[in-house]
Amino acid sequence: MKKIIFNTPSFSNSGIQNIKLLKAKNFFSSGGFFTKKCENWLEKNIKVKKAILTNSCTAALEMCSLLLDINKGDEVIMPSYTFVSTANAFVLRGAIPVFAEIDERTKNIDASKIESLVTKRTRALVVVHYAGVSCDMDKIMQIVKKKNIYLIEDAAHSILSYFRNRPLGSYGDLATFSFHETKNIHCGEGGALLINNIAFVNRAKILRDKGTNRDDFNNNLTKKYTWVDLGSSYGLSEINAAFLFKQLLEAWQITKKRLVIWKKYYDELYTLEAKSLIKRPVLQNYSKHNGHIFYIVLGSKTDRHKLIKFLKIKKIMSIFHYIPLHNSPYGKRFYKNRNLKITERISDRILRLPIHNKMTIKKVIYICKIIKIFFDKKI
Ligand SMILES: *Cc1c(COP(=O)(O)O)cnc(C)c1O
């Protein structure tokens, strides 16, 4: 058996064909033909009022922070169990991240533990739909309404995932996607800002264009373009957008394939869960996910360490994440003795198994067989 890698980004030759088309169009920076195509696709399929391509999800999160005029001392509630960019975008503007506990079943922010964290300084709630499985949006929407704070969805994992019948990314005032090569749909590096609160649309374009009204200029609404606000260079190159557009057209197919792999893992590992040796992801009726991540939760950190080693000997790559932000070298400074036991337990015990577009059912069966051998030996 050849080495089984953890991830390989999906690649299509027609993505390259799209890039070749740019020669005739003679336009390579942001805001061209394919950028508009991608943005239209997102607006139509994710049902958002406005989509803006960015050079990463991190960039889109920074735009959220700028759009909300986040200032020194503002508080932003978010899970600790997430990627650094969720927090960094707001900390860069002087905000204090207030880390909330996750739900053991979904690994998403625990909606029942948010309200007690809201203070007079709270400006926004950032939710992360972990592994493309939605947060409990009924409860989340209730809280942000009651407390009058902004909602941002870090939907980096969640393209073509749903809460009930509405796509993730269409709930927050603002939401973000990642098109990094490790995500379901990618263009190397890229992302999108999704806007549902139209009050943010015009300023978002200015922030993207280095704080200028270049977009008005391109649309013949002004004779000259100039510096009108804060901003940075957040747009996505047309070269990336050309590749991305093909991926978006294939997005349903890619998602379907991942879900087949995901389901096979889920079924094959049932017996280990029945013997209480592992826990599988818990499915919620309200959530339709996109097969972004398949993980198991082991009984202890030691078990996880041993299983990773055993899989490695069998040439199977497995990985884990996240180091909780409240325990990270930089994140510690914001942590005020909050009890995040579930976050820490999950972080210590979660293990992600290979899932990507080129995976075969045969490989999934093989991997599950090896995991079962590991547990048989232990007993
Ligand atoms: C990948 C990821 C990001 C960052 O995405 P980039 O496009 O690499 O900037 C942000 N948040 C979460 C939850 C992610 O998984």
Side-chain angles (χ1 to χ4, degrees), residues 92-362:
L92 271 169
R93 311 302 311 162
I96 300 161
V98 176
F99 298 122
E101 184 60 292
I102 53 170
D103 184 315
E104 177 120 40
R105 292 162 301 175
T106 58
K107 287 77 189 166
N108 286 331
I109 195 163
D110 184 339
S112 72
K113 292 180 186 159
I114 294 171
E115 264 194 78
S116 61
L117 300 176
V118 177
T119 71
K120 271 186 283 190
R121 312 216 65 162
T122 307
R123 296 287 319 284
L125 167 65
V126 188
V127 299
V128 180
H129 307 289
Y130 181 73
V133 174
S134 82
C135 297
D136 186 341
M137 296 315 288
D138 283 342
K139 285 194 191 138
I140 301 274
M141 296 304 277
Q142 252 174 20
I143 294 165
V144 293
K145 222 178 201 169
K146 182 175 162 196
K147 297 289 180 181
N148 194 26
I149 53 176
Y150 287 112
L151 174 64
I152 296 164
E153 297 174 78
D154 179 343
H157 299 180
S158 307
I159 191 165
L160 297 184
S161 284
Y162 296 79
F163 174 77
R164 306 208 193 281
N165 286 319
R166 209 167 122 190
L168 300 187
S170 71
Y171 283 89
D173 292 284
L174 301 164
T176 63
F177 276 163
S178 172
F179 300 123
H180 187 269
E181 70 158 43
T182 51
K183 304 303 201 294
N184 286 17
I185 305 301
H186 81 102
C187 60
E189 299 260 8
L193 174 69
L194 310 172
I195 305 175
N196 300 302
N197 181 341
I198 50 166
F200 292 121
V201 173
N202 285 334
R203 190 160 178 238
K205 293 179 196 164
I206 292 168
L207 296 177
R208 174 198 58 199
D209 293 334
K210 298 100 172 166
T212 72
N213 56 348
R214 191 184 71 135
D215 195 72
D216 279 353
F217 175 74
N218 287 346
N219 292 310
N220 292 320
L221 296 171
T222 179
K223 285 211 178 75
K224 271 242 182 282
Y225 79 85
T226 183
W227 187 12
V228 297
D229 200 342
L230 285 179
S232 191
S233 184
Y234 290 127
L236 183 71
S237 147
E238 189 64 6
I239 300 169
N240 291 54
F243 186 88
L244 178 63
F245 185 55
K246 199 65 209 176
Q247 288 256 315
L248 289 174
L249 294 181
E250 291 169 2
W252 299 99
Q253 232 176 302
I254 291 170
T255 306
K256 215 167 130 190
K257 231 171 152 179
R258 293 184 82 106
L259 283 169
V260 171
I261 299 298
W262 195 100
K263 182 72 167 47
K264 190 67 187 168
Y265 272 125
Y266 188 76
D267 293 343
E268 285 290 312
L269 293 173
Y270 165 76
T271 50
L272 290 183
E273 187 171 64
K275 289 182 206 157
S276 298
L277 293 166
I278 63 160
K279 279 188 182 145
R280 297 174 303 165
V282 180
L283 296 171
Q284 301 288 344
N285 284 335
Y286 57 60
S287 165
K288 200 159 96 200
H289 72 94
N290 62 359
H292 179 52
I293 289 173
F294 187 87
Y295 65 83
I296 55 175
V297 178
L298 282 297
S300 70
K301 196 173 181 174
T302 321
D303 274 7
R304 180 176 70 182
H305 179 71
K306 286 181 187 159
L307 178 56
I308 292 172
K309 263 175 74 181
F310 189 71
L311 290 172
K312 204 170 165 194
I313 292 164
K314 303 288 179 186
K315 296 185 179 173
I316 300 163
M317 274 175 70
S318 62
I319 66 169
F320 62 84
H321 67 178
Y322 300 102
I323 307 295
L325 295 182
H326 73 277
N327 280 341
S328 65
Y330 196 79
K332 265 184 194 157
R333 69 189 64 200
F334 305 109
Y335 182 52
K336 296 190 207 90
N337 288 326
R338 227 164 262 126
N339 188 343
L340 301 178
K341 289 254 156 53
I342 299 168
T343 298
E344 287 164 26
R345 189 160 68 233
I346 294 300
S347 169
D348 280 347
R349 300 176 183 192
I350 202 165
L351 186 65
R352 299 171 59 187
L353 300 175
I355 186 163
H356 54 78
N357 225 22
K358 298 237 170 66
M359 277 290 284
T360 58
I361 289 289
K362 222 175 102 188

Side-chain angles (χ1 to χ4, degrees), residues 56-58 61 82-83 85-86 128 154 156-157 178 180 183 190 322:
S56 67
C57 178
T58 303
L61 286 163
T82 182
F83 189 63
S85 296
T86 317
V128 180
D154 179 343
H157 299 180
S178 172
H180 187 269
K183 304 303 201 294
Y322 300 102

